Coordinates of all heavy atoms in Angstrom, one line a residue:
M1114 N -20.4 0.8 24.6 CA -20.4 2.0 23.8 C -19.4 3.0 24.3 O -19.1 3.0 25.5 CB -21.8 2.6 24.0 CG -22.0 3.7 22.9 SD -23.6 4.6 23.2 CE -24.7 3.3 23.5
E1115 N -18.8 3.7 23.4 CA -17.8 4.7 23.8 C -18.4 6.1 23.6 O -19.3 6.3 22.8 CB -16.5 4.5 23.0 CG -16.0 3.1 23.2 CD -14.5 3.1 23.0 OE1 -13.8 3.8 23.7 OE2 -14.0 2.4 22.0
K1116 N -17.8 7.0 24.3 CA -18.3 8.4 24.3 C -17.1 9.4 24.5 O -16.2 9.1 25.3 CB -19.3 8.6 25.4 CG -19.9 10.0 25.5 CD -20.9 10.0 26.6 CE -21.6 11.4 26.7 NZ -22.7 11.4 27.7
I1117 N -17.1 10.5 23.7 CA -16.0 11.4 23.9 C -16.6 12.8 23.6 O -17.5 13.0 22.8 CB -14.8 11.1 23.0 CG1 -13.6 11.9 23.5 CG2 -15.1 11.4 21.6 CD1 -12.3 11.5 22.9
T1118 N -16.0 13.8 24.2 CA -16.3 15.2 23.9 C -15.0 15.8 23.2 O -14.0 15.7 23.8 CB -16.7 16.0 25.1 OG1 -17.9 15.5 25.7 CG2 -16.9 17.5 24.8
L1119 N -15.2 16.3 22.0 CA -14.1 16.9 21.2 C -14.3 18.4 21.1 O -15.4 18.9 20.8 CB -14.1 16.2 19.9 CG -13.8 14.7 19.8 CD1 -14.1 14.2 18.4 CD2 -12.4 14.4 20.2
S1120 N -13.2 19.1 21.2 CA -13.2 20.5 20.9 C -12.9 20.8 19.5 O -11.9 20.2 18.9 CB -12.1 21.2 21.8 OG -12.0 22.5 21.4
I1121 N -13.8 21.5 18.8 CA -13.7 21.8 17.4 C -13.7 23.3 17.2 O -14.7 23.9 17.0 CB -14.8 21.1 16.6 CG1 -14.8 19.7 17.0 CG2 -14.6 21.4 15.1 CD1 -15.4 18.7 16.0
P1122 N -12.5 23.9 17.3 CA -12.4 25.4 17.4 C -13.1 26.1 16.2 O -13.5 27.3 16.4 CB -10.9 25.7 17.4 CG -10.3 24.4 17.8 CD -11.2 23.3 17.3
I1123 N -13.2 25.5 15.0 CA -13.7 26.2 13.8 C -15.2 26.3 13.8 O -15.8 27.0 13.0 CB -13.2 25.5 12.6 CG1 -13.2 26.5 11.4 CG2 -13.9 24.2 12.3 CD1 -12.4 26.0 10.2
I1124 N -15.9 25.6 14.8 CA -17.4 25.7 14.8 C -17.7 27.2 15.1 O -17.2 27.8 16.1 CB -17.9 24.8 16.0 CG1 -17.9 23.4 15.5 CG2 -19.4 25.2 16.3 CD1 -18.4 22.4 16.6
S1125 N -18.6 27.8 14.3 CA -19.0 29.1 14.5 C -20.5 29.3 14.7 O -20.9 30.4 15.2 CB -18.5 30.0 13.4 OG -19.1 29.6 12.2
C1126 N -21.3 28.4 14.3 CA -22.7 28.5 14.4 C -23.4 27.2 14.4 O -22.8 26.1 14.3 CB -23.2 29.4 13.3 SG -23.1 28.6 11.7
E1127 N -24.7 27.2 14.5 CA -25.5 26.0 14.6 C -25.4 25.2 13.3 O -25.5 24.0 13.3 CB -27.0 26.4 14.8 CG -27.9 25.3 15.2 CD -27.5 24.6 16.6 OE1 -27.2 25.4 17.5 OE2 -27.5 23.4 16.6
H1128 N -25.2 25.9 12.2 CA -25.0 25.2 10.9 C -23.8 24.3 10.9 O -23.8 23.2 10.3 CB -25.0 26.1 9.7 CG -26.3 26.8 9.4 ND1 -26.5 28.1 9.6 CD2 -27.5 26.3 9.0 CE1 -27.7 28.4 9.3 NE2 -28.3 27.3 9.0
C1129 N -22.7 24.7 11.5 CA -21.5 23.9 11.6 C -21.9 22.6 12.4 O -21.5 21.5 12.0 CB -20.4 24.7 12.4 SG -19.9 26.2 11.6
V1130 N -22.6 22.8 13.5 CA -23.0 21.7 14.3 C -23.8 20.7 13.5 O -23.7 19.5 13.5 CB -23.7 22.1 15.6 CG1 -24.2 21.0 16.4 CG2 -22.7 22.9 16.5
M1131 N -24.8 21.3 12.7 CA -25.7 20.4 11.9 C -24.9 19.6 10.9 O -25.2 18.5 10.6 CB -26.8 21.3 11.3 CG -27.8 21.7 12.3 SD -29.0 22.8 11.6 CE -29.7 21.9 10.2
T1132 N -23.9 20.3 10.2 CA -23.1 19.7 9.2 C -22.3 18.5 9.9 O -22.3 17.4 9.3 CB -22.1 20.7 8.6 OG1 -22.8 21.7 8.0 CG2 -21.2 20.0 7.6
I1133 N -21.8 18.7 11.0 CA -21.0 17.7 11.7 C -21.9 16.5 12.1 O -21.6 15.3 11.9 CB -20.3 18.3 12.9 CG1 -19.2 19.2 12.5 CG2 -19.7 17.2 13.8 CD1 -18.6 20.1 13.6
K1134 N -23.1 16.9 12.6 CA -24.1 15.8 13.0 C -24.4 15.0 11.8 O -24.5 13.7 11.8 CB -25.3 16.4 13.5 CG -25.2 16.9 15.0 CD -26.6 17.4 15.4 CE -26.6 17.7 16.9 NZ -28.0 18.1 17.3
R1135 N -24.7 15.6 10.6 CA -25.1 14.9 9.4 C -24.0 14.0 8.9 O -24.2 12.9 8.6 CB -25.5 15.9 8.4 CG -26.2 15.3 7.1 CD -26.5 16.3 6.1 NE -25.4 17.0 5.6 CZ -25.2 18.3 5.6 NH1 -26.1 19.1 6.1 NH2 -24.1 18.8 5.1
E1136 N -22.8 14.6 8.8 CA -21.7 13.8 8.2 C -21.3 12.7 9.1 O -21.1 11.6 8.7 CB -20.5 14.7 8.0 CG -20.8 15.8 7.0 CD -20.9 15.3 5.5 OE1 -20.3 14.3 5.2 OE2 -21.5 16.0 4.7
L1137 N -21.1 12.9 10.4 CA -20.8 11.8 11.3 C -21.9 10.8 11.4 O -21.7 9.6 11.5 CB -20.4 12.3 12.7 CG -19.1 13.0 12.9 CD1 -18.9 13.3 14.4 CD2 -17.9 12.2 12.4
G1138 N -23.1 11.3 11.3 CA -24.3 10.4 11.4 C -24.3 9.4 10.3 O -25.0 8.3 10.5
E1139 N -23.7 9.7 9.2 CA -23.7 8.7 8.1 C -22.7 7.6 8.3 O -22.7 6.6 7.6 CB -23.2 9.4 6.8 CG -24.4 10.3 6.3 CD -23.9 11.2 5.1 OE1 -22.8 11.0 4.6 OE2 -24.7 11.9 4.6
M1140 N -21.8 7.7 9.3 CA -20.8 6.6 9.6 C -21.5 5.5 10.4 O -22.3 5.7 11.3 CB -19.7 7.2 10.5 CG -18.5 6.3 10.6 SD -17.3 7.0 11.8 CE -16.9 8.5 10.9
K1141 N -21.2 4.3 9.9 CA -21.7 3.1 10.6 C -21.2 3.0 12.0 O -20.0 3.2 12.2 CB -21.3 1.8 9.9 CG -22.3 1.4 8.9 CD -22.0 0.0 8.4 CE -23.1 -0.5 7.4 NZ -22.7 -1.6 6.6
G1142 N -22.1 2.8 13.0 CA -21.6 2.7 14.4 C -21.8 3.9 15.2 O -21.8 3.8 16.4
I1143 N -22.1 5.0 14.6 CA -22.3 6.3 15.3 C -23.7 6.2 16.0 O -24.7 5.9 15.3 CB -22.2 7.5 14.4 CG1 -20.8 7.7 13.9 CG2 -22.6 8.8 15.2 CD1 -19.7 8.0 14.9
V1144 N -23.8 6.4 17.3 CA -25.0 6.3 18.0 C -25.7 7.6 18.2 O -26.9 7.8 17.9 CB -24.8 5.6 19.4 CG1 -26.1 5.5 20.2 CG2 -24.2 4.2 19.2
E1145 N -24.9 8.6 18.6 CA -25.4 9.9 18.8 C -24.3 11.0 18.7 O -23.2 10.8 19.1 CB -26.0 10.0 20.2 CG -26.8 11.3 20.4 CD -27.7 11.3 21.7 OE1 -27.3 10.6 22.6 OE2 -28.7 11.9 21.7
V1146 N -24.7 12.1 18.1 CA -23.8 13.3 18.0 C -24.5 14.5 18.6 O -25.6 14.8 18.1 CB -23.4 13.6 16.6 CG1 -22.4 14.7 16.5 CG2 -22.8 12.3 15.9
E1147 N -24.0 15.1 19.5 CA -24.5 16.4 20.1 C -23.5 17.5 19.9 O -22.3 17.2 20.0 CB -24.9 16.2 21.5 CG -26.1 15.3 21.8 CD -26.3 15.0 23.2 OE1 -26.9 15.8 23.9 OE2 -25.8 14.0 23.7
G1148 N -23.9 18.7 19.7 CA -22.9 19.8 19.6 C -23.5 21.1 20.1 O -24.7 21.3 20.2
D1149 N -22.5 21.9 20.5 CA -22.9 23.2 21.1 C -22.0 24.3 20.4 O -20.8 24.3 20.7 CB -22.8 23.2 22.6 CG -23.2 24.5 23.2 OD1 -23.3 25.5 22.5 OD2 -23.4 24.5 24.4
P1150 N -22.6 25.2 19.6 CA -21.8 26.2 19.0 C -21.2 27.2 20.0 O -20.2 27.8 19.7 CB -22.8 26.9 18.0 CG -24.1 26.5 18.5 CD -24.0 25.3 19.2
N1151 N -21.7 27.3 21.2 CA -21.2 28.2 22.2 C -19.9 27.7 22.8 O -18.9 28.5 22.9 CB -22.2 28.5 23.3 CG -23.4 29.2 22.7 OD1 -23.3 30.2 22.0 ND2 -24.6 28.7 23.0
T1152 N -19.9 26.4 23.1 CA -18.6 25.9 23.7 C -17.7 25.3 22.6 O -16.6 25.0 22.8 CB -19.0 24.7 24.6 OG1 -19.7 23.7 23.9 CG2 -19.8 25.1 25.8
K1153 N -18.2 25.2 21.3 CA -17.4 24.7 20.2 C -17.0 23.3 20.5 O -15.9 22.9 20.2 CB -16.2 25.6 19.8 CG -16.7 27.0 19.5 CD -15.4 27.8 19.1 CE -15.8 29.3 19.0 NZ -16.7 29.6 17.9
E1154 N -17.9 22.5 21.1 CA -17.6 21.1 21.4 C -18.7 20.2 20.9 O -19.9 20.6 20.8 CB -17.6 20.9 22.9 CG -16.3 21.5 23.6 CD -16.3 21.3 25.1 OE1 -17.4 21.1 25.7 OE2 -15.2 21.5 25.7
I1155 N -18.3 19.0 20.5 CA -19.3 18.0 20.1 C -19.1 16.8 21.0 O -17.9 16.5 21.4 CB -19.2 17.6 18.6 CG1 -17.9 17.0 18.3 CG2 -19.5 18.8 17.7 CD1 -17.9 16.1 17.0
T1156 N -20.1 16.1 21.3 CA -20.1 14.9 22.1 C -20.6 13.7 21.2 O -21.7 13.8 20.6 CB -20.9 15.0 23.4 OG1 -20.3 16.0 24.1 CG2 -20.8 13.7 24.1
V1157 N -19.7 12.7 21.0 CA -20.1 11.6 20.1 C -20.1 10.3 20.9 O -19.3 10.1 21.8 CB -19.0 11.5 19.0 CG1 -19.4 10.4 18.0 CG2 -18.7 12.8 18.4
Q1158 N -21.2 9.5 20.6 CA -21.3 8.2 21.2 C -21.2 7.2 20.0 O -21.9 7.4 19.0 CB -22.6 8.0 22.0 CG -22.6 8.8 23.2 CD -23.9 8.6 24.0 OE1 -24.2 7.5 24.5 NE2 -24.7 9.6 24.1
W1159 N -20.5 6.1 20.2 CA -20.3 5.2 19.1 C -20.1 3.8 19.6 O -19.7 3.5 20.7 CB -19.2 5.6 18.1 CG -17.8 5.4 18.7 CD1 -17.0 4.3 18.4 CD2 -17.1 6.3 19.5 NE1 -15.8 4.5 19.1 CE2 -15.8 5.7 19.7 CE3 -17.3 7.5 20.1 CZ2 -14.8 6.3 20.5 CZ3 -16.3 8.1 20.9 CH2 -15.1 7.5 21.1
D1160 N -20.3 2.9 18.6 CA -20.0 1.4 18.8 C -19.2 1.0 17.5 O -19.3 1.7 16.5 CB -21.3 0.6 18.9 CG -21.9 0.6 20.3 OD1 -21.1 0.5 21.2 OD2 -23.1 0.7 20.3
L1161 N -18.5 -0.1 17.6 CA -17.9 -0.6 16.4 C -18.9 -0.8 15.3 O -20.1 -1.1 15.6 CB -17.2 -1.9 16.7 CG -15.9 -1.8 17.5 CD1 -15.4 -3.2 17.9 CD2 -14.8 -1.0 16.8
P1162 N -18.6 -0.6 14.0 CA -17.3 -0.5 13.5 C -16.7 1.0 13.5 O -15.6 1.2 13.0 CB -17.4 -0.9 12.0 CG -18.8 -0.5 11.7 CD -19.6 -0.7 12.9
A1163 N -17.4 1.9 14.1 CA -16.9 3.3 14.2 C -15.7 3.2 15.2 O -15.8 2.4 16.2 CB -17.9 4.3 14.6
T1164 N -14.7 4.1 15.0 CA -13.6 4.2 16.0 C -13.3 5.7 16.1 O -13.7 6.5 15.3 CB -12.3 3.5 15.5 OG1 -11.9 4.1 14.3 CG2 -12.6 2.0 15.2
L1165 N -12.6 6.0 17.2 CA -12.2 7.4 17.4 C -11.4 7.9 16.3 O -11.5 9.0 15.8 CB -11.5 7.5 18.8 CG -11.1 9.0 19.1 CD1 -12.3 9.9 19.1 CD2 -10.4 9.0 20.5
E1166 N -10.5 7.0 15.8 CA -9.6 7.4 14.7 C -10.5 7.7 13.4 O -10.2 8.7 12.8 CB -8.7 6.2 14.4 CG -7.5 6.5 13.5 CD -6.6 5.3 13.5 OE1 -6.0 5.0 14.5 OE2 -6.5 4.7 12.4
K1167 N -11.5 6.9 13.1 CA -12.3 7.2 12.0 C -13.1 8.5 12.2 O -13.3 9.3 11.2 CB -13.3 6.0 11.7 CG -12.7 4.8 11.1 CD -13.8 3.8 10.9 CE -13.2 2.4 10.6 NZ -14.2 1.4 10.6
I1168 N -13.6 8.7 13.4 CA -14.3 9.9 13.7 C -13.5 11.1 13.4 O -13.8 12.1 12.8 CB -14.9 9.9 15.1 CG1 -16.0 8.8 15.3 CG2 -15.4 11.3 15.6 CD1 -16.3 8.5 16.7
K1169 N -12.2 11.1 14.0 CA -11.3 12.2 13.8 C -10.9 12.4 12.3 O -10.8 13.6 11.9 CB -10.1 12.0 14.7 CG -10.3 12.3 16.1 CD -9.0 12.2 16.9 CE -9.2 12.7 18.3 NZ -8.0 12.6 19.1
S1170 N -10.7 11.4 11.6 CA -10.4 11.6 10.2 C -11.5 12.1 9.4 O -11.3 12.9 8.5 CB -9.7 10.3 9.6 OG -10.7 9.3 9.4
T1171 N -12.7 11.7 9.7 CA -13.9 12.3 9.0 C -14.0 13.7 9.3 O -14.3 14.5 8.4 CB -15.2 11.5 9.4 OG1 -15.1 10.2 9.0 CG2 -16.4 12.2 8.8
L1172 N -13.8 14.1 10.6 CA -13.9 15.5 10.9 C -12.9 16.3 10.1 O -13.1 17.5 9.7 CB -13.7 15.7 12.4 CG -14.8 15.2 13.3 CD1 -14.4 15.2 14.8 CD2 -16.1 16.1 13.1
K1173 N -11.7 15.8 10.0 CA -10.7 16.4 9.2 C -11.1 16.6 7.7 O -11.0 17.6 7.1 CB -9.4 15.6 9.3 CG -8.1 16.5 9.4 CD -6.9 15.6 9.7 CE -6.6 15.5 11.1 NZ -5.4 14.6 11.4
E1174 N -11.7 15.5 7.2 CA -12.1 15.5 5.8 C -13.2 16.6 5.5 O -13.2 17.1 4.4 CB -12.7 14.1 5.4 CG -11.7 13.1 5.0 CD -12.3 11.7 4.8 OE1 -13.5 11.6 4.6 OE2 -11.6 10.7 5.0
I1175 N -14.1 16.8 6.5 CA -15.1 17.8 6.2 C -14.7 19.2 6.8 O -15.6 20.1 6.9 CB -16.5 17.3 6.9 CG1 -16.4 17.2 8.4 CG2 -16.9 16.0 6.3 CD1 -17.7 17.0 9.1
N1176 N -13.4 19.3 7.0 CA -12.9 20.6 7.4 C -13.3 21.1 8.8 O -13.4 22.3 9.0 CB -13.1 21.7 6.3 CG -12.3 21.3 5.1 OD1 -11.2 20.9 5.1 ND2 -13.0 21.4 3.9
Y1177 N -13.6 20.2 9.7 CA -13.9 20.5 11.1 C -13.0 19.7 12.0 O -13.4 18.9 12.7 CB -15.4 20.3 11.4 CG -16.3 21.3 10.8 CD1 -17.1 20.9 9.7 CD2 -16.4 22.6 11.3 CE1 -18.0 21.9 9.2 CE2 -17.3 23.5 10.8 CZ -18.1 23.1 9.7 OH -18.9 24.1 9.2
P1178 N -11.7 19.9 11.9 CA -10.7 19.1 12.6 C -10.9 19.3 14.1 O -11.1 20.5 14.6 CB -9.4 19.5 12.1 CG -9.6 20.9 11.6 CD -11.0 20.9 11.1
A1179 N -10.7 18.3 14.9 CA -10.8 18.4 16.4 C -9.4 18.9 16.9 O -8.4 18.5 16.3 CB -11.1 17.0 17.0
A1180 N -9.5 19.7 17.9 CA -8.2 20.1 18.5 C -7.6 19.0 19.3 O -8.3 18.1 19.8 CB -8.5 21.3 19.5
D1181 N -6.3 18.9 19.4 CA -5.6 17.9 20.1 C -5.5 18.1 21.6 O -5.5 19.3 22.0 CB -4.2 17.7 19.5 CG -4.2 17.0 18.1 OD1 -5.1 16.1 17.9 OD2 -3.4 17.5 17.3
Ligands
LIG617 CU1 -21.4 27.6 11.2

């Protein structure tokens, strides 16, 4: 299993975190998504077929792009 913490500067409240959790949660292979509106970070755990690339492109699609 892989795990990463991503900074998402546009997160402003708990609803943003919930949206991200819901949208990423629909992706096959996603094991867990946690987020904190105070730090504006999410932590994602995944297995194949999910990949970091797919996670990042989904975040972009839902308008919560991760900072590089
Ligand atoms: Cu919000």
Side-chain angles (χ1 to χ4, degrees):
M1114 195 185 317
E1115 301 209 60
K1116 181 177 180 175
I1117 197 171
T1118 298
L1119 296 168
S1120 171
I1121 309 207
I1123 203 169
I1124 288 178
S1125 61
C1126 68
E1127 194 64 44
H1128 289 113
C1129 298
V1130 172
M1131 284 172 59
T1132 300
I1133 291 167
K1134 281 185 175 182
R1135 188 182 61 236
E1136 296 289 335
L1137 283 185
E1139 287 174 0
M1140 190 187 299
K1141 268 192 179 166
I1143 297 291
V1144 177
E1145 189 168 30
V1146 183
E1147 292 170 83
D1149 183 343
N1151 297 309
T1152 59
K1153 302 180 191 295
E1154 286 178 346
I1155 62 160
T1156 299
V1157 188
Q1158 293 182 64
W1159 74 94
D1160 279 317
L1161 288 173
T1164 63
L1165 182 55
E1166 197 172 291
K1167 285 184 194 169
I1168 291 166
K1169 284 185 168 178
S1170 73
T1171 297
L1172 288 170
K1173 220 175 267 180
E1174 275 170 28
I1175 63 170
N1176 296 315
Y1177 287 104
D1181 287 320

